[in-house]
Amino acid sequence: MNDMSAAAALPEWDLSDLYPGPDSAEVKADMERAERMAKAFASSHAGTLAALTGPALAAVIGEYERIQELLGRIASYAQLLFAGDSTDPAIGRFYQTVNEKVTAVGSDLIFFSLELNRMDDALLEAKLADPALAHYRPWLRDLRVFRPHQLSDDLERLTHERDLTASAAWVRLFDETVAAMRVKLGGEELTVSATLNKLSDRDRSVREAAGKAIGSAFGERIRLFSLITNTLAKDKEIEDTWRHYPRPGSFRNRANMVEDEVVDALVTAVRGSYPRLAHRYYKMKAKWLGLEKLQHWDRNAPLPNDDDRRIEWPDARKRVLDAYAAFSPELADVGRRFFDRPWIDARLRPGKSGGAFAHPTVPSVHPYLLLNYHGKTRDVMTLAHELGHGVHQVLAGAQGPLMSGTPLTLAETASVFGEMLTFRALLDSADPKQRRIMLAAKTEDMLNTVVRQVAFYQFETLLHDERRGGELMPERIGELWLQVQTESLGPVFEFTPEYSVFWSYVPHFIHSPFYVYAYAFGDCLVNALYSVFQNGHPGFQAKYLDMLRAGGTKRHKELLAPFGLDASDPAFWNKGLDVISGFIDELEA
């Protein structure tokens, strides 16, 4: 099968489970219904919450949840359409219109969480004696984490409504700029995603050309990307100051329901392990590639003898579902739905969002997965990863719209665990030569997930701290980037000048500041979980599925306790890092 027909055989999603089309009567009707419901909700309930009985308050939260589900459905549809093609002006307009309308409806609902948070602890606790209200206890608990950081009702409304023309507008500018970019490479004009894919080409001269072409494309626009980054960092600083967050990462940690100290322990453990992990591995990789020094375009180079043959989509599907089924037939049954129905978009096309994600939409519908499938082993791992998210989102859906979402730190658990199951299944069936190559590839993925993401987190921390003293020039941002890359990747790397702009293509810095450590958190947590599973922990599968079904109702401490694990113990993170070190030991041997 040639590349063109293989790409055509890849699945595309069908979003009609959400709506028939952007111009459909259903979208219009649901939007109008949400507007009416929100206005009625505000006029009936604003200023009355403290006086309500427990059962009455539970009924009001149920009403709020139904409005949120309706808004979530419309917003998810617009987001997924836009991810499918952000270069279509009609889709761009629809996406913006929906965002504006959802924001306007949200304004009528802002009073609700603020008024709930102003309620006295003892008064709320007394109401929670009612079983109907007690159902929402986890949601109320998480809401109250933000109590010390909330502003007056008017200010909250203002920041909510202005977000569209403030940070959200800058995020959209970034997305549309990157989606429209074409990188000149060897007489072709490629998308950013297709050019980044060339950084793992077998031919070193192709990798070098791709690395320089990306540097040149982003370098030409570096003032724009610096302006976006500086503006968003300043916007964040203003909001953090008003809300009394102690440091730039604090809001993200609260949203992740994880203590600042736990994140510090993770970052300290990973930074302390740079030499035994990344430095040691890349020194070995340089030797395998026959190089004295590595350049940035060698980081993801395939290994000699790695004949990363194309894996067709049906084979990828089989490998992933077989690995899931060997662990838990129930997990595989949920996963199979994504393939049997048009819930996955894996086809390569211009204008489509790069990378991969799983979008939960709303519990009354189902999640969708987006991938850009190039047929490499790494793409099979990405499929296993995103399917893990999708299965998690389906299982947690029973908790309802307000409590099915998991904090980012735990949201990465099922995805990384799914990846590990698939990897172990492939490894067990490999011959010794393949085994070495697979171990090396897995080690690289883990270094990309743990070391690289913690270096990204450090970069953000340095950038946001320094931004508080004034705007940063593009050159200065580049210096901070090179500083953390040098520290994390080690002395075997030599960085050519164009690498100093590579910070500018990372969407997480723009979309969700300080998100990136969640990947490292998830990876180390799964490594620790997986070793509990390997040691024959009784009833592991049942406990694991219960953990996924819990959605956002439990915190990391409660979720990990049944497995005898505790993320607030600094030694916990070293358990996860030891797994990566063990892979490197095996490779050295």
Side-chain angles (χ1 to χ4, degrees):
M1 193 186 276
N2 67 26
D3 281 0
M4 290 299 286
S5 53
L10 294 170
E12 277 192 322
W13 56 31
D14 175 355
L15 301 178
S16 61
D17 287 351
L18 289 163
Y19 291 101
D23 301 325
S24 63
E26 288 87 337
V27 171
K28 189 167 182 275
D30 275 2
M31 199 73 243
E32 286 168 0
R33 188 154 66 98
E35 286 164 355
R36 282 196 308 277
M37 285 169 78
K39 291 226 176 305
F41 184 82
S43 65
S44 303
H45 305 304
T48 70
L49 303 183
L52 295 175
T53 62
L57 183 56
V60 173
I61 296 177
E63 204 181 317
Y64 174 78
E65 187 167 36
R66 285 189 291 279
I67 302 171
Q68 290 294 356
E69 167 116 3
L70 197 52
L71 290 173
R73 185 179 191 129
I74 302 166
S76 301
Y77 180 62
Q79 238 173 331
L80 292 171
L81 267 183
F82 188 69
D85 186 1
S86 59
T87 54
D88 179 331
I91 290 177
R93 182 176 177 275
F94 175 71
Y95 175 64
Q96 181 64 14
T97 305
V98 166
N99 279 343
E100 288 175 8
K101 288 188 169 174
V102 168
T103 300
V105 175
S107 268
D108 289 324
L109 303 173
I110 281 177
F111 82 89
F112 188 58
S113 54
L114 301 175
E115 199 173 311
L116 280 172
N117 267 350
R118 280 199 296 269
M119 205 181 286
D120 179 70
D121 284 337
L123 180 64
L124 181 62
E125 204 44 57
K127 294 183 198 295
L128 279 163
D130 172 66
L133 186 61
H135 166 72
Y136 291 108
R137 181 185 281 277
W139 180 71
L140 291 163
R141 170 204 69 197
D142 290 352
L143 191 62
R144 285 171 99 73
V145 166
F146 296 98
R147 204 175 169 192
H149 307 291
Q150 82 184 29
L151 307 170
S152 70
D153 288 20
D154 282 349
L155 274 178
E156 288 287 0
R157 235 185 130 126
L158 175 69
T159 53
H160 175 77
E161 290 181 15
R162 281 201 57 201
D163 180 53
L164 281 170
T165 53
S167 56
W170 291 97
V171 171
R172 183 182 169 194
L173 174 63
F174 173 86
D175 286 346
E176 292 192 359
T177 303
V178 175
M181 277 172 71
R182 292 297 173 266
V183 183
K184 292 187 180 71
L185 185 64
E188 280 187 287
E189 293 214 330
L190 301 176
T191 60
V192 171
S193 168
T195 317
L196 288 168
N197 192 49
K198 300 271 186 206
L199 291 176
S200 50
D201 196 275
R202 177 161 309 291
D203 183 338
R204 192 171 192 229
S205 63
V206 171
R207 295 199 304 272
E208 179 176 356
K212 292 193 163 160
I214 292 164
S216 159
F218 280 87
E220 285 164 17
R221 299 166 177 84
I222 202 63
R223 288 186 59 194
L224 172 64
F225 290 119
S226 300
L227 175 63
I228 293 171
T229 302
N230 271 295
T231 305
L232 286 170
K234 184 65 183 173
D235 184 73
K236 183 169 175 27
E237 182 201 339
I238 294 165
E239 182 148 353
D240 285 351
T241 304
W242 275 85
R243 293 189 183 280
H244 306 295
Y245 283 113
R247 57 195 213 194
S250 297
F251 163 74
R252 177 68 59 206
N253 298 344
R254 305 284 188 283
N256 281 342
M257 301 301 151
V258 62
E259 304 74 18
D260 286 353
E261 303 73 49
V262 172
V263 178
D264 291 345
L266 163 68
V267 172
T268 304
V270 174
R271 285 183 73 180
S273 292
Y274 284 167
R276 73 176 175 129
L277 301 179
H279 298 191
R280 187 160 65 114
Y281 175 78
Y282 288 118
K283 194 174 156 193
M284 204 158 49
K285 181 166 187 174
K287 210 164 71 186
W288 294 335
L289 294 173
L291 299 168
E292 279 288 298
K293 287 279 188 187
L294 294 178
Q295 298 297 343
H296 68 85
W297 54 79
D298 297 318
R299 192 172 54 82
N300 285 332
L303 299 177
N305 311 322
D306 176 3
D307 60 339
D308 200 358
R309 284 190 305 274
R310 185 178 168 83
I311 299 162
E312 298 303 344
W313 180 257
D315 191 18
R317 165 194 166 132
K318 183 177 176 352
R319 290 182 193 202
V320 173
L321 288 177
D322 285 356
Y324 274 48
F327 171 73
S328 155
E330 186 183 345
L331 204 64
D333 287 343
V334 179
R336 203 168 285 108
R337 291 183 213 167
F338 285 83
F339 296 95
D340 292 346
R341 299 161 194 181
W343 297 0
I344 303 178
D345 192 328
R347 202 171 292 182
L348 307 172
R349 55 179 188 275
K352 180 179 169 179
S353 175
F357 64 73
H359 195 308
T361 75
V362 286
S364 59
V365 187
H366 56 77
Y368 282 98
L369 311 185
L370 177 141
L371 301 93
N372 287 276
Y373 188 80
H374 295 274
K376 298 200 156 123
T377 307
R378 187 166 273 148
D379 295 316
V380 179
M381 292 300 163
T382 301
L383 175 60
H385 180 102
E386 298 307 335
L387 191 67
H389 279 307
V391 168
H392 191 180
Q393 290 159 355
V394 169
L395 292 173
Q399 300 291 350
L402 296 181
M403 296 184 291
S404 56
T406 44
L408 297 178
T409 39
L410 297 164
E412 291 301 329
T413 308
S415 52
V416 179
F417 199 86
E419 222 178 312
M420 183 62 102
L421 289 173
T422 305
F423 168 70
R424 296 284 184 171
L426 295 177
L427 192 67
D428 290 346
S429 63
D431 62 43
K433 191 183 91 171
Q434 278 177 308
R435 185 182 169 85
R436 174 176 154 261
I437 285 164
M438 285 186 66
L439 268 176
K442 182 63 179 169
T443 302
E444 287 197 16
D445 280 345
M446 289 173 133
L447 293 176
N448 281 335
T449 305
V450 177
V451 169
R452 188 164 168 79
Q453 303 302 330
V454 165
F456 280 3
Y457 177 78
Q458 260 180 280
F459 167 71
E460 285 189 286
T461 304
L462 294 169
L463 181 119
H464 283 261
D465 285 347
E466 198 166 308
R467 177 65 183 91
R468 297 193 163 195
E471 189 159 300
L472 278 72
M473 297 291 282
E475 296 74 15
R476 178 60 187 149
I477 303 177
E479 285 169 11
L480 296 177
W481 172 254
L482 289 176
Q483 177 187 326
V484 300
Q485 295 301 322
T486 305
E487 182 198 347
S488 61
L489 293 172
V492 79
F493 275 90
E494 210 172 53
F495 294 110
T496 47
E498 77 283 345
Y499 193 60
S500 66
V501 303
F502 268 58
W503 56 271
S504 59
Y505 83 79
V506 181
H508 297 87
F509 300 154
I510 304 299
H511 291 167
S512 33
F514 299 96
Y515 174 110
V516 286
Y517 77 79
Y519 290 115
F521 193 108
D523 211 75
C524 289
L525 190 150
V526 165
N527 287 344
L529 256 185
Y530 199 88
S531 39
V532 171
F533 166 58
Q534 276 186 311
N535 294 336
H537 184 88
F540 184 92
Q541 279 88 334
K543 288 180 185 177
Y544 178 76
L545 288 170
D546 284 343
M547 178 173 83
L548 301 190
R549 284 192 196 97
T553 61
K554 294 178 178 176
R555 298 273 178 86
H556 62 84
K557 260 195 159 57
E558 295 169 84
L559 286 170
L560 294 174
F563 304 98
L565 296 170
D566 176 11
S568 60
D569 171 9
F572 169 81
W573 298 113
N574 283 316
K575 257 189 204 140
L577 297 169
D578 288 346
V579 173
I580 311 177
S581 190
F583 282 174
I584 300 171
D585 292 344
E586 192 178 331
L587 284 166
E588 277 185 334

